[in-house]
Amino acid sequence: MIRTLILTVIFAFTMAALAVPESQAATKAGVEAQFRQWLEADLWPAARREGVSKPVFDRAFAGVSLDWDLPDLVPPGFPKPKQRAQSQAEFRSPGAYFSEKSLQSLTASGRSLMQKHSGLLQRIEQRYGVPGAIVVAIWGRESGFGRASIPHSAIRVIATKAFMSTRPDLFRKEVLAALKILQRGDIPASEMKSSWAGAMGQPQFLPSSYLDHAVDFDGDGKRDIWNSTADSLASIANYLAKSGWVRGRDWGFEAVIPEGVTCALEGPDRARPISALTDMGIIRISGRPFPEHERRAPGMVLVPAGIYGPEFVVTPNFYVIKEYNNSDLYALFIGNLADRMAHGGSAFVTPWGDTGKMLRSDIARLQSSLENLGYDVGGADGLPGYKTRRSIGEWQAKNGQRPTCFPTPALLQALR
């Protein structure tokens, strides 16, 4: 009985020591105090279980305070931020993503760097199977070929987000991964720089991606994606190779889908030999035939703006690029930039239509209506991905309309 009472008292005192009064928690100083307690009582035991030593942990957080300037923070004790009405966010036309000025500037710099690092890129392609132009295109898009300012302390950013962001579980995993990097000794905490989102170095890897994909290609015994061009480029290639890059295949081709062939063919789960697509009448927009080795291999239709913009036949490598950044437009940007650098390519031939006239909340309602009819739209998130686009096309065909595979106000009204 006495032992039970003692344990109860000890537990109460421990909880009291960790707790911060509501009045104190409603101040930045109070939240900072909670943060230091969280580091010692919660994060340190988890880090120790991951093999992180106390000296490494203490050095990582010496003098580290919360970064209050980051977005999407939910400080304990503070009023929760009001959610922005989804109707405030307008879906932008896909064409807005493809700034010709930006693409031309990146192409000029990328070509020069491909020549400068030609030997390195050849060795990387030999090992990982990823063309140098794809690697350099990602390098350019992510960090301006390593020239972009990456000013934030990764430990501070990720720890702040793990403690008080809208996605604490995600960033808790990432802060533990960052501590494991420090334990390895690849870089000191003072030099572990990231973006405001916690993406690190020239390839913009989160810490978990670093652990899975970063490589030491210059042979100095460290995986340095902050200062080593060789490590940075090889790490990008390794990421794509581990994500399933198919050696020897292109990423895709701008195409023309003829009248009478539905745009609802879209999606990686509807792959078929490219020769089967050409049998339907789908051709490259250049008029040149698809390379013979590509004709025998699987391809997929891609219509990111439905019938209101460029149409494509893409290979599985397109979806590997999406593993790096889960966006059709990002993967198209990388593919187009790589083509410009390697083959003298230019802008897509078909212009992007002005399709950004709907609010995201309206698109979400349209998606919900299709879901209620049994269509798989990939979630009612207000972003028209390939599942939404092809569901629209299928509904239109079923209801006697010409498939356009893209949301419009008229379509939303028809589905109500």
Side-chain angles (χ1 to χ4, degrees):
M1 181 71 180
I2 295 176
R3 185 173 182 272
T4 302
L5 179 61
I6 291 172
L7 289 175
T8 302
V9 171
I10 290 172
F11 177 78
F13 273 108
T14 301
M15 296 306 295
L18 289 177
V20 175
E22 184 71 21
S23 59
Q24 184 182 2
T27 69
K28 286 187 176 182
V31 174
E32 291 283 358
Q34 280 188 295
F35 173 61
R36 300 311 302 186
Q37 292 167 354
W38 172 79
L39 289 176
E40 290 301 323
D42 187 339
L43 191 62
W44 159 239
R48 180 177 54 201
R49 290 192 293 271
E50 295 289 333
V52 177
S53 70
K54 194 63 165 68
V56 166
F57 185 90
D58 289 341
R59 283 195 299 271
F61 290 105
V64 172
S65 60
L66 294 167
D67 188 340
W68 292 84
D69 293 328
L70 299 176
D72 301 321
L73 299 182
V74 190
F78 277 62
K80 290 186 177 181
K82 293 181 180 179
Q83 287 190 334
R84 293 182 61 191
Q86 198 176 27
S87 60
Q88 293 176 351
E90 185 172 297
F91 176 74
R92 299 177 66 197
S93 169
Y97 196 88
F98 297 87
S99 163
E100 188 61 22
K101 181 178 179 180
S102 174
L103 277 161
Q104 289 181 4
S105 175
L106 288 169
T107 299
S109 295
R111 282 177 180 161
S112 175
L113 289 165
M114 285 183 66
Q115 292 177 349
K116 178 180 178 180
H117 300 296
S118 60
L120 169 63
L121 291 169
Q122 287 173 9
R123 294 194 303 274
I124 289 172
E125 183 168 0
Q126 286 173 356
R127 181 174 299 185
Y128 300 106
V130 182
I134 293 289
V135 173
V136 172
I138 291 175
W139 187 34
R141 178 69 180 177
E142 294 296 332
S143 66
F145 310 106
R147 299 167 182 163
S149 174
I150 304 175
H152 297 278
S153 160
I155 289 292
R156 187 184 187 208
V157 166
I158 298 168
T160 298
K161 288 177 172 286
F163 178 67
M164 61 175 191
S165 79
T166 55
R167 295 186 294 170
D169 292 341
L170 167 66
F171 286 101
R172 179 184 177 84
K173 168 190 168 186
E174 296 301 336
V175 75
L176 290 171
L179 289 167
K180 290 168 75 172
I181 295 169
L182 297 178
Q183 183 69 37
R184 285 176 51 93
D186 282 353
I187 193 165
S190 60
E191 296 178 26
M192 185 186 278
K193 298 297 184 180
S194 77
S195 70
W196 61 265
M200 306 187 307
Q202 298 181 39
Q204 287 291 274
F205 282 174
L206 287 172
S208 60
S209 291
Y210 174 99
L211 291 176
D212 290 340
H213 302 114
V215 296
D216 170 24
F217 205 75
D218 60 15
D220 68 352
K222 296 181 180 181
R223 300 184 292 178
D224 185 357
I225 62 171
W226 295 268
N227 306 298
S228 169
T229 297
D231 290 1
S232 296
L233 297 183
S235 296
I236 292 170
N238 186 45
Y239 189 109
L240 297 176
K242 285 190 172 181
S243 298
W245 187 271
V246 182
R247 187 185 291 261
R249 294 208 66 187
D250 209 317
W251 67 269
F253 310 87
E254 189 178 357
V256 177
I257 301 175
E259 290 284 342
V261 176
T262 178
C263 50
L265 292 169
E266 187 173 15
D269 54 341
R270 297 186 178 178
R272 62 193 74 194
I274 290 179
S275 60
L277 297 176
T278 60
D279 289 345
M280 297 178 188
I282 298 175
I283 61 171
R284 290 177 69 179
I285 202 163
S286 65
R288 300 193 304 273
F290 290 97
E292 189 57 35
H293 74 282
E294 296 285 6
R295 280 178 47 80
R296 297 191 299 269
M300 308 85 163
V301 169
L302 177 79
V303 286
I307 66 169
Y308 306 115
E311 301 163 332
F312 303 90
V313 170
V314 298
T315 79
N317 286 341
F318 175 85
Y319 292 97
V320 172
I321 298 172
K322 281 188 66 176
E323 291 293 321
Y324 207 97
N325 183 325
N326 188 24
S327 161
D328 289 336
L329 301 185
Y330 176 88
L332 284 173
F333 188 101
I334 296 302
N336 182 243
L337 177 56
D339 285 351
R340 290 176 186 232
M341 292 189 299
H343 311 301
S346 58
F348 298 129
V349 175
T350 302
W352 296 94
D354 185 14
T355 56
K357 298 298 185 184
M358 292 185 72
L359 300 174
R360 283 189 60 178
S361 54
D362 290 334
I363 296 175
R365 282 195 289 272
L366 185 152
Q367 291 169 320
S368 294
S369 296
L370 287 168
E371 282 184 329
N372 291 336
L373 293 172
Y375 291 93
D376 177 10
V377 299
D381 58 2
L383 297 174
Y386 75 86
K387 288 186 176 181
T388 294
R389 297 191 297 260
R390 74 186 185 192
S391 295
I392 289 171
E394 290 169 348
W395 181 89
Q396 290 170 320
K398 185 177 180 180
N399 287 272
Q401 301 180 19
R402 178 196 177 197
T404 64
C405 299
F406 208 75
T408 63
L411 180 62
L412 175 61
Q413 187 66 33
L415 282 165
R416 281 178 173 168

